[in-house]
Amino acid sequence: MGKKILKQIEETVEYLRKQYKHKPSVGIVLGSGLGSFVDHIEVEKEVAYADIPHFPVSTVEGHKGKLIFGKLSGKTVVAMAGRFHYYEGYGAQDVVYPIRVMKFLGIETLLLSNAAGGVNTSYQVGDIMIIRDHVSFFTPNPLIGKNTSEFGPRFPDMSEPYRKQLITKAKEIAAANGFEVKEGVYVAVTGPTFETRAEYKLIQVLGGDVVGMSTVQEAIVANHMGLKVFAASVVTDVGIRDAENIITHEEVLEAAKAAEPKLATLFRELAASL
Ligand code: HPA
């Protein structure tokens, strides 16, 4: 199976290199409601997922499903407008396929973003949380199966899944731009149901600060391949609160959109600093 994936990635990369000849150094994944970040990129080429050999096709509302090539802060970047979620029915291997492709296109740094539910009671809707660490146990690990040594080792170290140096830099950027950022632990779940009250409480007990349905499988394969990873969550709802608490996808998208400028500042200035 490993060799088959490698061959597919080679074919995907060959196709993409024909579409866009420059080598990106930074990969970006835009989460739910954060697609407007693309406006900050000097777009040079867009490729619809549907046109890319071996790419899965994104379905969820709020995702455009395009790979975008261009410049951000003078760096050549490739951005995913729309990601693949396990809850859509894709296998873990499909969810991470584009991350592997971006690595083989040449990226060295991966910037991930997502909308997430606040579990830390000091968090508010609209907060940005830099992910310091994660809990992946509720979602299938994408490295299960025969290891493909061309990607990385059988037993990857995960002591620093999100680079400390990038976290420090992001905190400096936020301070210089006059906004607060949180820093905490992202607990990954499969979704698509939002959590019950009992589940939000459990996640809190486990040490989670936010909960979400993406990012961690991508971060795992990125670490496996030696990429430098930075990730940030936009807190779009606070599931842990006791008051009446119905969460809708619309509210998640709206809150993510409102917080997008802060995330954009972090990504733009982080890219500049690389
Ligand atoms: N739970 C899980 N995923 C989410 C949430 C949530 O409350 N909000 C946005 N994504």
Side-chain angles (χ1 to χ4, degrees):
M1 183 187 75
K3 295 293 171 217
K4 187 170 157 234
I5 288 189
L6 271 179
K7 186 156 187 306
Q8 288 181 337
I9 286 175
E10 274 164 23
E11 287 168 8
T12 303
V13 166
E14 193 188 329
Y15 171 83
L16 290 171
R17 288 218 173 106
K18 279 190 200 134
Q19 308 301 310
Y20 184 75
K21 65 178 191 302
H22 305 289
K23 183 174 116 162
S25 60
V26 183
I28 298 171
V29 180
L30 303 173
S32 302
L34 298 167
S36 64
F37 176 80
V38 167
D39 297 342
H40 302 275
I41 299 175
E42 290 164 53
V43 178
E44 292 171 344
K45 183 74 191 178
E46 292 186 356
V47 188
Y49 291 164
D51 295 335
I52 305 176
H54 309 302
F55 242 56
V57 177
S58 182
T59 57
V60 76
E61 194 188 329
H63 291 268
K64 289 189 194 127
K66 288 190 279 196
L67 215 50
I68 290 163
F69 293 91
K71 296 280 187 293
L72 178 72
S73 309
K75 300 288 184 326
T76 303
V77 301
V78 52
M80 291 179 69
R83 59 149 60 88
F84 302 101
H85 301 86
Y86 188 68
Y87 65 73
E88 291 176 90
Y90 300 110
Q93 296 292 329
D94 292 324
V95 170
V96 301
Y97 186 79
I99 309 296
R100 288 175 165 159
V101 166
M102 290 195 282
K103 160 76 183 181
F104 279 72
L105 280 171
I107 69 161
E108 289 150 29
T109 307
L110 180 66
L111 308 179
L112 298 166
S113 62
N114 60 62
V119 177
N120 184 317
T121 48
S122 74
Y123 288 9
Q124 290 176 353
V125 170
D127 280 348
I128 301 277
M129 189 198 85
I130 296 170
I131 304 180
R132 183 184 61 240
D133 208 345
H134 71 225
V135 173
S136 74
F137 296 157
F138 299 127
T139 53
N141 192 305
L143 301 181
I144 288 173
K146 191 174 181 307
N147 186 52
T148 305
S149 56
E150 286 85 348
F151 294 143
R154 170 74 292 187
F155 298 107
D157 171 66
M158 288 295 277
S159 61
E160 193 185 323
Y162 305 93
R163 291 292 166 112
K164 279 205 186 91
Q165 187 221 341
L166 295 175
I167 293 173
T168 302
K169 186 76 202 165
K171 289 201 275 193
E172 287 167 11
I173 293 166
N177 285 277
F179 64 88
E180 200 201 343
V181 280
K182 312 283 190 191
E183 183 184 337
V185 174
Y186 179 102
V187 176
V189 293
T190 64
T193 42
F194 289 116
E195 290 64 45
T196 64
R197 283 165 195 274
E199 286 163 346
Y200 281 119
K201 280 189 191 137
L202 172 73
I203 289 161
Q204 189 184 45
V205 167
L206 290 175
D209 295 296
V210 298
V211 54
M213 307 175 194
S214 66
T215 302
V216 160
Q217 290 170 325
E218 297 155 351
I220 287 172
V221 296
N223 273 277
H224 185 224
M225 299 185 296
L227 290 174
K228 289 177 265 181
V229 182
F230 175 82
S233 295
V234 175
V235 177
T236 56
D237 52 276
V238 183
I240 197 74
R241 69 194 168 194
D242 278 331
E244 188 186 334
N245 197 20
I246 297 167
I247 297 167
T248 66
H249 184 55
E250 289 66 33
E251 147 190 26
V252 166
L253 292 181
E254 210 173 290
K257 219 170 156 197
E260 187 274 337
K262 289 191 278 187
L263 184 90
T265 301
L266 289 185
F267 277 15
R268 240 187 304 131
E269 297 198 19
L270 271 179
S273 78
L274 293 171

